[in-house]
Amino acid sequence: MSKTTTPKKPSKSKATQTPTVDLSLADVYGQVRVVIERVSPELDGGRFPIKAIPGDTIQVEADIFADGHDYVSARLLYRAPHEKHWHESPMHKLENDRWAGAFSVEQVGRYQYTLEAWVDHIGSWQHELDLKVRDGQRVTSELLAGATLAEGMAHRAGGSPTGDTAGNAHDQAELFRIAELFRNPDAYDQAVQVALGDAFHQLAEQYPERQHPARYSRELGVEVDRAKAGFSTWYCLFPRSASMTEGKHGTFRDVERLLPRIAGMGFDVLYLPPIHPIGTAHRKGKNNSVTCLPGEPGVPYGIGSPEGGHDAIHPELGTVEDFKHLIAIARNYDMEVAMDLAIQCSPDHPWATEHPEWFKKRPDGSIQYAENPPKKYQDIYPVWFETEDWRNLWIEMKRVLLLWASWGVRIVRVDNPHTKPFAFWEWVIAEVKKEFPDMIFLSEAFTRPKVMQQLAKRGFAHSYTYYTWRNSKTELMEYMTELTATNGQPDAMRYYFRPNFWPTTHDINPYILQSGHEPQFLIRYFLAATLSSNYGIYGPSFELMEHVPNAGKEEFLNSEKYEIKHWDWDRTNKLTYLITLTNRIRRENPALQQTNNLTFCRIDDDHIMAYLKTAGDNRLLTIVNMDAYNRRAGMVQVPIWQLGIDGNTTYVVHDLLTGARYNWKGEWNYVELDPYMLPMHLFRIEL
Amino acid sequence: MSKTTTPKKPSKSKATQTPTVDLSLADVYGQVRVVIERVSPELDGGRFPIKAIPGDTIQVEADIFADGHDYVSARLLYRAPHEKHWHESPMHKLENDRWAGAFSVEQVGRYQYTLEAWVDHIGSWQHELDLKVRDGQRVTSELLAGATLAEGMAHRAGGSPTGDTAGNAHDQAELFRIAELFRNPDAYDQAVQVALGDAFHQLAEQYPERQHPARYSRELGVEVDRAKAGFSTWYCLFPRSASMTEGKHGTFRDVERLLPRIAGMGFDVLYLPPIHPIGTAHRKGKNNSVTCLPGEPGVPYGIGSPEGGHDAIHPELGTVEDFKHLIAIARNYDMEVAMDLAIQCSPDHPWATEHPEWFKKRPDGSIQYAENPPKKYQDIYPVWFETEDWRNLWIEMKRVLLLWASWGVRIVRVDNPHTKPFAFWEWVIAEVKKEFPDMIFLSEAFTRPKVMQQLAKRGFAHSYTYYTWRNSKTELMEYMTELTATNGQPDAMRYYFRPNFWPTTHDINPYILQSGHEPQFLIRYFLAATLSSNYGIYGPSFELMEHVPNAGKEEFLNSEKYEIKHWDWDRTNKLTYLITLTNRIRRENPALQQTNNLTFCRIDDDHIMAYLKTAGDNRLLTIVNMDAYNRRAGMVQVPIWQLGIDGNTTYVVHDLLTGARYNWKGEWNYVELDPYMLPMHLFRIEL
């Protein structure tokens, strides 16, 4: 179903020369007087697009100015995917030659924007005329000059010859009349009045004299993903542990039986670790043991067996048809199924024999197994992206992804993308989105900041984060600021990096939760769900507050990665209650469906964190006691100035978790939270 | 003498597309794994060069990283003007994937730099080998892999077939020997030792396996000006006021007589306001009066008469030959003569009749005189750069500048450059420097920050600044920080904007000096001369502390712009003494010959400012009492940690102004300054 394009060896692209003065540079064209610089947002000089979802408003700023004292006009130009012509939206001056404008995106795909600006001769003329009139000077000569400007406007009001812009006969007539007036010595006073009037000024805005406009030298991109990229709630489970009967290998059918419960809790993405055949060579046993006892199921990340590789389904889970059926049933519950892309092979993977050149060889000619010295992973063959045959490897990966898409999969979680080339991700994600623009990729890279950022720039819609290890109020406030604030940076993370918060994963059992202390689980869950519009949980394990570590490591003892677990799927507890409630509140309150709309509020306690999120008139104030062991109280400062509430008006804060309503007044108000009761408030501010 | 190149209408340059994934992009080439980003310095994506002088070291930083866990190697590439091949200098890792490197520039002209980086397979191999050996693993197979690496190194040690890099037979033999060793099972222990040894590591540095290197996508420029662009001392005088006889029009010969004195005071640039014929039409009288009495000399900025325009010399000053003679004599005193380029005309300027199309017309067909509504300047015709004939206008300006250069002029002060197009300056400066690379242009733009910055980016070597209005300690510290610090900005002003400080000019009589209070003059002078390596004074007027304003404005009463002044050229005073002394100290102390080497020191008084400037072992600590009326004292913190002085060692601070020597110890030391004695210390720290 996919036309495969062969990646060809590129002609080495010429580096941009620092321009010596070259008259072919548009902005050195002698009559172009306006400069457009320091555009924001702009990632690496326009090399990468920023991100958005339909309905978003893109705010753009730039330094715009000309020589001399003339007025300047500027427009923001933008176009939707596949549009040829630019739409325009006006820009307004802030201060110190900084200008701002905005446009909104509606469709999924790649938008583009750039800027245009020119010297506003009409505005300058009007301004100087005003000064002279105030000075009592006779402006007959200036009015004659104005007549010529007015005629120019009239001709533009007639519409462009190309017909791109329709004419406006009424305005045209009006403008010719005004030109007449400016020329009529007997109507001097009236002419001056009209010349300085708003009506004429508005006509000037409408039919500007766009002489020698400056065009910004770059066209910048906005990658618009579907709404789910902005707001999603993930639930991870291993299908093989989905059986109701202990000891029995779970199947897709078993998973289907769990859907009502998971959907009922408010999740809309069901993420499954790899569901492919599992190798037997060097298969790992319980707790990652190198000796595997007969009958042990192996690690789903040891992908590939004689039964197939990344394009096959583990037979014990069911058939491709069964998997498609699961996807279809999930859809009835408004849930999507996300697959897991782990580009690595068990020694039994078909690629190991069909494409040995895709793997690194040891001097003895054998394939090099995975190592993280001194550790060895004989059960895993890493794919070697430096192979001379990289193009066919890329094409095969694209084929696999398009095959998954053909099964109905539109969300892919990628395992350790940071150990594969950035260029590969940029290429394969773009190629897949050409045919499935609604595809969403989540980057599971827990590594250095710039590497994680680069993966997001190259096309991942979602990224795992350091949330799992940001525990204190200070840490979290710093981290959220890094993720959501611009700090005047044109390449701030908020423009391209969409966080997806996870309190735990099947790989990570963080120290802060190893106590198993219930309030701690409530807090870590709730922070993830209210700070980030995209979050997920390692479902059954987290719900049941699984916490016993494997030998002091941040891993689970008896990890589900190495064995089949039997979960009590009917169990409910305080945490599952909070999850269900919070997810319903997230669906009902748009303010929780964004991440960058965050403002922290002052509160005089180092362990109570308070933050405001607003979307239109939906205003949520969240207050969390991050001390899981002690009741804490403090005065929180509500930014009423931002909410348009005056200091003397009483307003209601409605706790959506408990239903309680409090009447508050002014900025500073008292809160008290007992972790053993409920360590958080989720107030809706109702005016 | 100059070949005039006609600026042609350019083919509109294509805007850079935001790259969708395009396999022709070098960094999408499948095997290139390294990313190079956020290079600093870099002005507007490489659109403009940074600035330097011969001997400067250019420090470059960038984010450099690859996927996975392999080591990375990076090189800074640079080339001198007209060089084809790149030189390389190593880069080292700072933290968080930030890398740094440096190269130094020696010749005047345009250098270029860019970056290259690659995955360091040898380093990664050595690192992994080390981990395995520490773990007690047998590494025979790894040694065999190392043998192949060593052979690769050996081949590279043989030199490149193109002969670009010479071979090193000794290293080559050594490396082949090492490869042998790695393959020899009987020499296992020795092989391991060699493999992990420094010698092998150094060889790896020298003959790296540069597989699939990533090249930064831009080539960045460094405009290297001659030394004087970095360190200069300006003296401004009106030659027509140079006569010894009152009432007599001064001449270039008169100026020559003043040279010994001006040079003796330590100035090396003599800047003359326009020396061209002055128009008579609407000529202005004393104090800018619109009525000009017979015999009044007019304004040198009203350029042009039947006797000629910008290419002619005002006959009363002398002939072109006389002017060349002045330049020659000045050279004997190590002084240069700077001319003043004011692109504007008197109505009598030849251009007004020969090139009426270079001026804006009023509706009645007459040429539009200068206005700044409501003010009118009938004696001035502004040149209209929006003319359709702009190319010939540009060419004429270039001709004028080349003519001046042919007279021996190498420094040009440009009057109000911000009222002419940026593109013109970029073009004309570059064209002139093609033939006279030692030409220096000073931008006299007192306008909005981004406009002043843009002029510097377009090619002005020097810029006037806001110094003239920065009076308080806080104001000056903020302003100096803006001028000299990077704040992590790749386009910080220090990279391209060279300040030239003036306490007053013939146009500006700042309020702070209108009192005529001597200590205030000493302070304002001294701050300019010690904060900025480039500074100047409006000579005779400033020396004599001229201060009477014209009707509450920041202008001089009886300004020399409108009349001939008779100065007492033999007069000396405390200020002339300080000037002479300070200029000598500037010449003798390299620390004062730079501007960006500035560090402010803490001192617990709002009116005493202290700053350190160092160049190698030349360390100057300047302390100024900015309160011109009161004795002030405080404790100053000497950054001894930065000077390598330990807290218990006594060191000498030697006041170069008074000759006094003090023994100081530790960070905090006492200073006391009486403005009526001398409001400043200029300490050389002597260890």
Side-chain angles (χ1 to χ4, degrees), chain A residues 10 18 23 68 97 219 418 448, chain B residues 10 18 23 68 97 219 418 448:
Chain A
T18 307
L23 283 165
D97 293 314
E219 289 171 5
H418 58 291
R448 307 189 314 280
Chain B
T18 308
L23 284 168
D97 294 313
E219 288 171 5
H418 58 291
R448 310 191 309 282

Side-chain angles (χ1 to χ4, degrees), chain B residues 86 89 201 243 250 275 284 301 304 326 346 430 529 533 546 603 672:
Chain B
W86 294 100
S89 102
H201 181 76
S243 168
I275 54 176
K284 292 294 180 71
Y301 290 90
L326 168 62
S346 103
S533 55
E546 225 198 358
I603 183 162
E672 179 179 320

Side-chain angles (χ1 to χ4, degrees), chain A residues 9-10 17-18 21 23 31 37-38 63 68 96-97 132 137 219 371 386 418 448 450 457 491, chain B residues 10 18 21 23 29 31 37-38 68 96-97 112 132 219 371 374 386 418 426 448 450 457 491:
Chain A
K9 185 148 196 308
Q17 282 277 344
T18 307
V21 178
L23 283 165
Q31 287 161 301
E37 263 190 0
R38 296 200 181 110
D63 289 354
N96 191 15
D97 293 314
K132 290 173 178 174
Q137 297 176 25
E219 289 171 5
E371 293 183 292
E386 286 179 315
H418 58 291
R448 307 189 314 280
K450 287 167 185 171
K457 289 179 182 174
D491 59 354
Chain B
T18 308
V21 178
L23 284 168
Y29 175 33
Q31 288 160 299
E37 263 192 359
R38 294 200 184 111
N96 191 18
D97 294 313
Q112 288 184 313
K132 290 173 178 175
E219 288 171 5
E371 292 184 292
E386 286 178 316
H418 58 291
E426 186 171 29
R448 310 191 309 282
K450 287 167 185 172
K457 289 180 183 174
D491 60 354

Side-chain angles (χ1 to χ4, degrees), chain A residues 6-21 23-33 35-38 44-49 63 65-69 79 95-98 110 112 119 121 128 131-132 135 137 141-142 144-145 211-213 216-221 362-363 371 373-376 385-388 390-391 394 418-423 426-427 430 448-451 453-454 457-458 489 491 496, chain B residues 6-21 23-33 35-38 44-49 63 65-69 79 95-98 110 112 119 121 128 131-132 135 137 141-142 144-145 211-213 216-221 362-363 371 373-376 385-388 390-391 394 418-423 426-427 430 448-451 453-454 457-458 489 491 496:
Chain A
T6 308
K8 294 172 264 31
K9 185 148 196 308
S11 55
K12 201 141 186 76
S13 74
K14 217 189 144 308
T16 344
Q17 282 277 344
T18 307
T20 54
V21 178
L23 283 165
S24 72
L25 279 171
D27 63 334
V28 176
Y29 176 32
Q31 287 161 301
V32 177
R33 292 171 49 196
V35 168
I36 305 174
E37 263 190 0
R38 296 200 181 110
D44 190 22
R47 169 71 176 82
F48 302 107
D63 289 354
F65 51 88
D67 62 275
H69 307 290
R79 55 187 172 198
E95 54 175 7
N96 191 15
D97 293 314
R98 193 77 179 158
R110 180 70 58 96
Q112 286 184 310
V119 171
H121 288 110
E128 294 196 357
L131 294 170
K132 290 173 178 174
D135 187 50
Q137 297 176 25
S141 157
E142 286 75 6
L144 292 176
Q211 209 183 40
H212 313 308
Y216 185 53
S217 60
R218 303 173 192 126
E219 289 171 5
L220 307 172
R362 309 171 70 205
E371 293 183 292
K375 297 210 208 85
K376 305 179 177 201
F385 276 83
E386 286 179 315
T387 171
E388 284 307 317
W390 62 275
R391 290 179 183 77
W394 287 23
H418 58 291
T419 57
K420 291 86 190 172
F422 300 109
E426 186 172 28
W427 179 82
R448 307 189 314 280
K450 287 167 185 171
V451 173
Q453 290 166 8
Q454 185 69 199
K457 289 179 182 174
R458 299 284 182 140
Q489 294 304 315
D491 59 354
Y496 65 90
Chain B
T6 308
K8 296 170 259 44
K9 187 146 192 313
S11 53
K12 204 145 181 74
S13 76
K14 220 188 142 306
T16 346
Q17 283 275 345
T18 308
T20 53
V21 178
L23 284 168
S24 72
L25 280 171
D27 62 337
V28 176
Y29 175 33
Q31 288 160 299
V32 177
R33 291 170 51 196
V35 170
I36 305 175
E37 263 192 359
R38 294 200 184 111
D44 190 23
R47 169 71 176 83
F48 302 107
D63 290 353
F65 51 89
D67 61 275
H69 307 290
R79 56 185 169 201
E95 54 174 9
N96 191 18
D97 294 313
R98 192 77 178 156
R110 179 70 57 95
Q112 288 184 313
V119 171
H121 288 109
E128 295 198 356
L131 293 170
K132 290 173 178 175
D135 187 50
Q137 297 177 27
S141 158
E142 287 73 7
L144 291 176
Q211 210 184 38
H212 313 310
Y216 185 54
S217 60
R218 302 173 193 127
E219 288 171 5
L220 307 171
R362 308 172 70 206
E371 292 184 292
K375 298 212 209 83
K376 305 177 176 202
F385 277 84
E386 286 178 316
T387 171
E388 285 305 319
W390 62 274
R391 289 178 186 77
W394 287 22
H418 58 291
T419 57
K420 290 90 192 169
F422 300 108
E426 186 171 29
W427 179 81
R448 310 191 309 282
K450 287 167 185 172
V451 174
Q453 290 165 7
Q454 184 69 201
K457 289 180 183 174
R458 298 285 182 137
Q489 295 303 313
D491 60 354
Y496 66 89

Side-chain angles (χ1 to χ4, degrees), chain B residues 333-519:
Chain B
Y333 291 98
D334 294 323
M335 291 186 76
E336 292 190 44
V337 175
M339 283 180 74
D340 192 333
L341 177 62
I343 306 181
Q344 57 187 32
C345 302
S346 103
D348 309 320
H349 194 294
W351 292 344
T353 42
E354 294 164 16
H355 298 285
E357 66 280 9
W358 292 354
F359 303 89
K360 198 169 184 179
K361 302 283 183 317
R362 308 172 70 206
D364 65 10
S366 64
I367 292 180
Q368 175 66 63
Y369 50 76
E371 292 184 292
N372 180 10
K375 298 212 209 83
K376 305 177 176 202
Y377 308 92
Q378 289 93 336
D379 59 326
I380 299 293
Y381 286 174
V383 172
W384 187 45
F385 277 84
E386 286 178 316
T387 171
E388 285 305 319
D389 194 40
W390 62 274
R391 289 178 186 77
N392 289 318
L393 169 61
W394 287 22
I395 289 163
E396 170 65 358
M397 292 319 308
K398 174 181 168 181
R399 184 189 69 82
V400 165
L401 284 165
L402 292 176
L403 174 66
W404 295 2
S406 74
W407 296 342
V409 173
R410 291 294 183 275
I411 303 180
V412 175
R413 178 263 197 191
V414 177
D415 187 74
N416 287 326
H418 58 291
T419 57
K420 290 90 192 169
F422 300 108
F424 163 69
W425 294 120
E426 186 171 29
W427 179 81
V428 81
I429 292 172
E431 285 292 310
V432 170
K433 286 178 92 174
K434 272 185 202 162
E435 300 182 38
F436 300 95
D438 54 348
M439 192 66 93
I440 290 172
F441 290 87
L442 162 63
S443 159
E444 188 252 6
F446 293 106
T447 180
R448 310 191 309 282
K450 287 167 185 172
V451 174
M452 290 168 68
Q453 290 165 7
Q454 184 69 201
L455 288 163
K457 289 180 183 174
R458 298 285 182 137
F460 283 90
H462 281 193
S463 304
Y464 279 78
T465 69
Y466 301 138
Y467 169 74
T468 314
W469 300 276
R470 295 292 178 271
N471 301 327
S472 75
K473 177 181 177 178
T474 328
E475 285 171 341
L476 264 176
M477 286 177 69
E478 266 177 21
Y479 190 50
M480 291 313 297
T481 302
E482 184 186 339
L483 289 172
T484 64
T486 75
N487 300 320
Q489 295 303 313
D491 60 354
M493 287 179 82
R494 69 174 278 149
Y495 294 127
Y496 66 89
F497 186 98
R498 285 198 199 98
N500 192 326
F501 279 10
W502 292 67
T504 71
T505 74
H506 51 286
D507 296 311
I508 308 162
N509 174 15
Y511 294 121
I512 192 172
L513 290 176
Q514 292 185 6
S515 62
H517 187 59
E518 182 186 71

Side-chain angles (χ1 to χ4, degrees), chain A residues 100-273:
Chain A
F103 65 97
S104 64
V105 294
E106 303 305 336
Q107 329 161 23
V108 167
R110 180 70 58 96
Y111 278 68
Q112 286 184 310
Y113 62 98
T114 189
L115 300 88
E116 196 164 288
W118 56 89
V119 171
D120 175 8
H121 288 110
I122 303 171
S124 308
W125 170 84
Q126 215 178 10
H127 173 65
E128 294 196 357
L129 188 76
D130 182 45
L131 294 170
K132 290 173 178 174
V133 168
R134 288 166 189 278
D135 187 50
Q137 297 176 25
R138 186 88 187 159
V139 292
T140 320
S141 157
E142 286 75 6
L143 285 172
L144 292 176
T148 316
L149 293 173
E151 277 160 359
M153 290 158 67
H155 290 304
R156 288 187 292 277
S160 69
T162 66
D164 291 351
T165 57
N168 180 323
H170 170 275
D171 290 352
Q172 183 169 40
E174 171 65 6
L175 282 159
F176 278 126
R177 204 186 57 69
I178 291 175
E180 282 302 313
L181 179 69
F182 288 175
R183 286 214 176 76
N184 177 357
D186 307 334
Y188 179 83
D189 295 343
Q190 194 201 342
V192 169
Q193 216 170 8
V194 170
L196 299 178
D198 289 346
F200 185 67
H201 181 76
Q202 269 142 38
L203 286 165
E205 279 290 300
Q206 217 167 330
Y207 309 107
E209 182 183 82
R210 253 168 133 128
Q211 209 183 40
H212 313 308
R215 171 69 70 88
Y216 185 53
S217 60
R218 303 173 192 126
E219 289 171 5
L220 307 172
V222 185
E223 181 71 9
V224 181
D225 294 309
R226 60 192 173 110
K228 183 145 252 119
F231 176 52
S232 61
T233 314
W234 297 49
Y235 191 94
C236 164
L237 65 74
F238 285 70
R240 69 185 186 183
S241 303
S243 167
M244 292 297 166
T245 336
E246 179 141 23
K248 205 155 155 299
H249 192 291
T251 65
F252 294 133
R253 292 294 159 137
D254 295 319
V255 175
E256 288 178 13
R257 276 185 219 97
L258 299 175
L259 290 175
R261 176 180 183 276
I262 300 168
M265 292 177 74
F267 293 94
D268 55 20
V269 177
L270 178 67
Y271 149 54
L272 310 178

